[in-house]
Amino acid sequence: MKNFIQRAGATRRSFLILFILLSPLTAFAHKRGGEVIGFASGFLHPISGLDHILAMVAVGMWGAQLGAPAMWVLPVVFPMVMALGGMMGLMGIKLPCIELCIALSALALGFAVCREARPKLWIAAIIVGVFAIAHGHAHGTELPMGASGILYSIGFVIATGLLHALGIGIGLVHRWPAGRIALRVAGAVVAMGGVFFLWKAISGEPV
Amino acid sequence: MRLPRLILFWLTLAITLIAAPPAHAHLMNTGFGPFNDGLTHLFVTPEDLLPVIAIALMAGLRGPRFGRAVLLALPVAWLAGTAAGFLLAAPIKLPVAETIVTIALGVLLATESPLPFAFVTCLAILLGLLHGILNASELPKTSLSSLISAAGVAVALFGAVSLLAGQAASMRVRWARVAVRVAGSWIMAIGLLMLGWAMRVPA
């Protein structure tokens, strides 16, 4: 017990030191310019569209439903492949049917959660990866020109990861019988959202 | 018992990334002298900080021996790179190379692939040399304050690596290690987006 308390104290101390080092607000001695795109705009971008939110939360829910290792493989695959799609969008590489694919992602992932689909891990990873490319590409092409993208990128990836974490958190109710039903209902809601966005995409209306 | 530690880890990582203001190859003026300018530089420069986080966590996950090697090699190599950078006549910028190194370190952290001790040490040396040269090439060459600030950067590196590698090395629970690997995938994703920014085609 004594050892545990000592260790816990040491951990807290080391984190406190790191925290203080990482928050040096006194360093803002002069004003910077040119950063038209920052952390906040990057953080807000993935959570500004309901189609993106539904798909990313559904990835987390599906991962939690599938259990380990899918629970962490899918949310790891999604940001990595989405960033690849974002890179392609930034570089001006054109991909066809992006809006349709985004709308389909919410539908397909919601359907998978609703049906408790259990494909092999690599198939699930490919499904998630294909949709991640579409989401990333859309984000990449939508970005306005700015001086530096690193803070934007950091905010963007953190927001995406947090949406997945939210999905995993919701998906953990899967361990209880009532939660299992609730999760399937949530999947159906996501799928219905996907149908709505698919209709919008096909009719050419702005989402 | 492990939960508070992991929450603190994620909180710290989030604050690291949120609090890091835009990158500056030159040192910031903190008002507390060149040593503090150097000490601050690492924590306000995401381009430098992200690969350092990645290699420190990667070394820590592989055990205390790896962590100790990076703890020594990275600041020393960074100082050596800084010395070499002072010899350069003109500032050099290698944003693509820097980003590729960050992506590679993110991948190695995310995959937790078994790597030999010498390879990890060499990675730390290469990272230190690259960033040391790039940072120093933009500093005043003959200024004593540049040397003092370089010492500040080395101390900051030592502190950051010891804390991050120490935390990673002490993680025994599987899902805690997975969480660190997820951080690697985030670093890789940020690197990929940065590569897109570096190679961006104007609309």
Side-chain angles (χ1 to χ4, degrees):
Chain A
M1 186 64 188
K2 192 181 171 189
N3 280 345
F4 169 70
I5 292 167
Q6 281 172 345
R7 268 192 280 125
T11 304
R12 270 195 291 275
R13 271 197 302 278
S14 64
F15 270 109
L16 185 65
I17 292 165
L18 195 59
F19 181 88
I20 291 164
L21 286 171
L22 294 175
S23 311
L25 295 181
T26 49
F28 289 94
H30 57 84
K31 194 182 175 206
R32 296 191 190 83
E35 300 295 338
V36 293
I37 296 171
F39 177 85
S41 51
F43 190 85
L44 290 174
H45 197 110
I47 56 176
S48 59
L50 190 62
D51 49 349
H52 294 292
I53 295 173
L54 285 179
M56 288 172 216
V57 172
V59 168
M61 291 197 305
W62 196 27
Q65 205 174 41
L66 292 172
M71 188 160 71
W72 62 270
V73 167
L74 299 188
V76 164
V77 166
F78 198 97
M80 287 164 78
V81 184
M82 190 177 74
L84 193 66
M87 190 181 84
M88 290 162 75
L90 283 163
M91 290 166 68
I93 298 168
K94 305 280 183 201
L95 292 177
C97 306
I98 289 297
E99 287 303 321
L100 270 179
C101 199
I102 289 170
L104 270 175
S105 67
L107 176 60
L109 292 167
F111 187 73
V113 174
C114 181
R115 293 281 310 194
E116 282 198 64
R118 294 192 172 275
K120 288 183 179 169
L121 181 59
W122 64 270
I123 295 174
I126 287 174
I127 292 169
V128 164
V130 168
F131 291 138
I133 287 268
H135 282 269
H137 191 275
H139 287 307
T141 48
E142 285 166 8
L143 298 185
M145 296 301 286
S148 166
I150 191 156
L151 288 181
Y152 186 96
S153 306
I154 291 169
F156 184 90
V157 171
I158 288 177
T160 305
L162 291 178
L163 283 172
H164 292 146
L166 176 67
I168 291 172
I170 295 169
L172 289 178
V173 300
H174 182 69
R175 63 183 69 180
W176 297 291
R180 194 169 296 177
I181 295 165
L183 193 58
R184 292 183 71 169
V185 171
V189 171
V190 172
M192 281 192 285
V195 171
F196 171 72
F197 290 119
L198 192 61
W199 172 64
K200 286 268 195 185
I202 291 169
S203 63
E205 289 181 46
V207 178
Chain B
M1 287 165 73
R2 294 281 178 183
L3 193 63
R5 179 183 289 192
L6 203 73
I7 290 168
L8 278 169
F9 172 78
W10 281 108
L11 185 69
T12 308
L13 187 65
I15 287 164
T16 307
L17 297 171
I18 291 165
H24 289 265
H26 60 274
L27 292 172
M28 302 185 69
N29 180 10
T30 61
F32 295 112
F35 182 82
N36 283 294
D37 292 351
L39 199 67
T40 308
H41 173 78
L42 178 70
F43 302 108
V44 297
T45 313
E47 283 96 334
D48 288 344
L49 186 60
L50 284 175
V52 168
I53 291 174
I55 199 159
L57 291 175
M58 187 179 78
L61 280 186
R62 279 162 184 76
R65 183 166 164 253
F66 285 75
R68 281 192 288 268
V70 171
L71 183 62
L72 181 68
L74 186 62
V76 170
W78 201 292
L79 281 174
T82 305
F86 284 144
L87 301 175
L88 294 172
I92 50 170
K93 287 180 184 293
L94 299 169
V96 175
E98 273 184 288
T99 309
I100 288 171
V101 169
T102 304
I103 293 170
L105 290 171
V107 170
L108 291 174
L109 175 60
T111 55
E112 207 185 2
S113 45
L115 296 170
F117 177 76
F119 182 79
V120 175
T121 310
C122 285
L123 271 180
I125 291 169
L126 287 174
L127 177 69
L129 286 173
L130 175 69
H131 282 260
I133 289 170
L134 291 176
N135 280 327
S137 72
E138 298 200 0
L139 290 175
K141 309 295 184 232
T142 53
S143 161
L144 177 65
S145 65
S146 293
L147 295 173
I148 297 171
S149 62
V153 172
V155 171
L157 280 167
F158 190 86
V161 173
S162 59
L163 290 170
L164 289 167
Q167 288 297 328
S170 65
M171 285 175 180
R172 294 284 175 267
V173 185
R174 187 169 171 269
W175 60 271
R177 296 175 70 86
V178 166
V180 174
R181 292 173 66 183
V182 169
S185 77
W186 288 16
I187 290 171
M188 184 218 166
I190 292 165
L192 279 173
L193 283 172
M194 282 308 301
L195 197 59
W197 280 96
M199 295 157 62
R200 185 168 195 185
V201 178

